C-alpha cells in the first residue's frame, strides 16, 4: 500500500492533519496509508510527504532539525528523488530560504524567498485569521475542481515572499494580496490549513494524493 509520511517533529496539528488525510484517501479512492512518523527510514520509503507546522518559524525549524536524520531524509526524498511534497502553514514556510520571525533562521532552501511579517491593507488586523477566498495566477492540478469562489481557513502573521513570481500558486486578498500557496515541480504548499477548510480542504488533499508531478 502506498504510504504518505506525515512528519512528526513536535510542531504541527498532527491529529487533525492525519484525520483529514485519511478522509481524503477514502474520498479519492487512492487507498493511501497515512503514517505519522519521525523515522528517516519511513520518510525515505514513503510515496508522498506532508510537512505540517504551527507556531513560530524559528521554533519549527529548530524542532525539525532536532530530530536526527529527518532533514537529510526530506532532502533525499523530496529534492533528489522528486516525491510529491505538501507543506502546510509553517511547513510551507520552511521551504523558503529563511524566515525573519525571531531573527533570521535558515529554511530548507527549496524555494528562493523569505518569510516575513505580513503587511495587510489599512484596517486589517494581524494575525490574519479566519476564512478567505483564493485567487489563482495559473492553474495547478491540486486546485482543480474546487468550485466557484473557494474559501479556506487561515491563521498566520507571517507569509512567504518567493523571489520568482512563477512559484506563487494562489493568493488571498487581505487589503492587499498575500501569498496563499506556492508550487514548483514536485513541491506544493499552502499558507492556509486544508485540514481546517472543510470540503475545499478535503478536495485539495484528495487532489494531492492523486497528483503526479
Amino acid at each position: 500500500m502506498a504510504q504518505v509520511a506525515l512528519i512528526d517533529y513536535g510542531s504541527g496539528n498532527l491529529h487533525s492533519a492525519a484525520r483529514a488525510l485519511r478522509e481524503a484517501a477514502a474520498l479519492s479512492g487512492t487507498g493511501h496509508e497515512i503514517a505519522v512518523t519521525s523515522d528517516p527510514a519511513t520518510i525515505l520509503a514513503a510515496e508522498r510527504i506532508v510537512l505540517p507546522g504551527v507556531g513560530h518559524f524559528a521554533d519549527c525549524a529548530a524542532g525539525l532539525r532536532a530530530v536526527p536524520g529527518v532533514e537529510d531524509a526530506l532532502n533525499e526524498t523530496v529534492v533528489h528523488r522528486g516525491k510529491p511534497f505538501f507543506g502546510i502553514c509553517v511547513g510551507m514556510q520552511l521551504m523558503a530560504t529563511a524566515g525573519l520571525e525571531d531573527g533570521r533562521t535558515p529554511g530548507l532552501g527549496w524555494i528562493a524567498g523569505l518569510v516575513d511579517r505580513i503587511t495587510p491593507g489599512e484596517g486589517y488586523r494581524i494575525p490574519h485569521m479566519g476564512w478567505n477566498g483564493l485567487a489563482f495566477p495559473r492553474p495547478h492540478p491540486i486546485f482543480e475542481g474546487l468550485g466557484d469562489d473557494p474559501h479556506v481557513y487561515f491563521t498566520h502573521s507571517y507569509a512567504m515572499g518567493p523571489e520568482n513570481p512563477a512559484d506563487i500558486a494562489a493568493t488571498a486578498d487581505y487589503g492587499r494580496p498575500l501569498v496563499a500557496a506556492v508550487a514548483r515541480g514536485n513541491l506544493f504548499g499552502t499558507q492556509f490549513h486544508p485540514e481546517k477548510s472543510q470540503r475545499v480542504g478535503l478536495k485539495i488533499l484528495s487532489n494531492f494524493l492523486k497528483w503526479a508531478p
Side-chain angles (χ1 to χ4, degrees):
M1 180 182 293
Q3 193 171 74
V4 178
L6 177 61
I7 309 302
D8 179 7
Y9 61 106
S11 186
N13 192 3
L14 288 170
H15 179 72
S16 294
R19 184 175 65 242
L21 282 164
R22 290 183 180 115
E23 187 171 349
L27 289 172
S28 64
T30 61
H32 282 90
E33 176 189 354
I34 312 304
V36 179
T37 184
S38 58
D39 175 41
T42 301
I43 296 169
L44 290 168
E47 183 197 76
R48 293 164 195 270
I49 307 293
V50 177
L51 182 67
V54 175
H56 290 243
F57 185 101
D59 291 342
C60 289
L64 185 66
R65 291 176 171 129
V67 186
V70 166
E71 185 175 8
D72 288 342
L74 287 173
N75 279 311
E76 174 62 28
T77 305
V78 177
V79 177
H80 299 296
R81 301 184 186 179
K83 298 295 180 68
F85 174 89
F86 195 137
I88 298 174
C89 195
V90 182
M92 179 197 91
Q93 295 177 6
L94 288 170
M95 286 192 282
T97 306
L100 304 182
E101 188 174 11
D102 301 323
R104 186 182 178 102
T105 303
L108 292 167
W110 295 348
I111 291 182
L114 299 176
V115 176
D116 205 352
R117 188 169 174 85
I118 63 176
T119 53
E122 185 176 353
Y124 289 78
R125 296 181 177 180
I126 297 176
H128 172 211
M129 183 177 296
W131 294 86
N132 207 323
L134 296 174
F136 308 105
R138 57 189 173 90
H140 193 282
I142 292 181
F143 286 137
E144 288 181 356
L146 300 187
D148 296 331
D149 192 26
H151 278 61
V152 291
Y153 188 82
F154 290 83
T155 174
H156 67 117
S157 300
Y158 285 72
M160 188 193 295
E163 290 182 7
N164 186 347
D167 291 334
I168 300 173
T171 60
D173 183 2
Y174 199 55
R176 58 172 52 96
L178 299 176
V179 174
V182 296
R184 192 183 74 236
N186 62 308
L187 304 174
F188 186 85
T190 61
Q191 182 59 63
F192 59 86
H193 288 270
E195 77 280 9
K196 298 181 180 180
S197 298
Q198 300 179 3
R199 179 193 61 81
V200 171
L202 285 177
K203 179 60 175 174
I204 288 169
L205 293 175
S206 296
N207 287 344
F208 169 69
L209 295 178
K210 294 184 288 186
W211 179 41

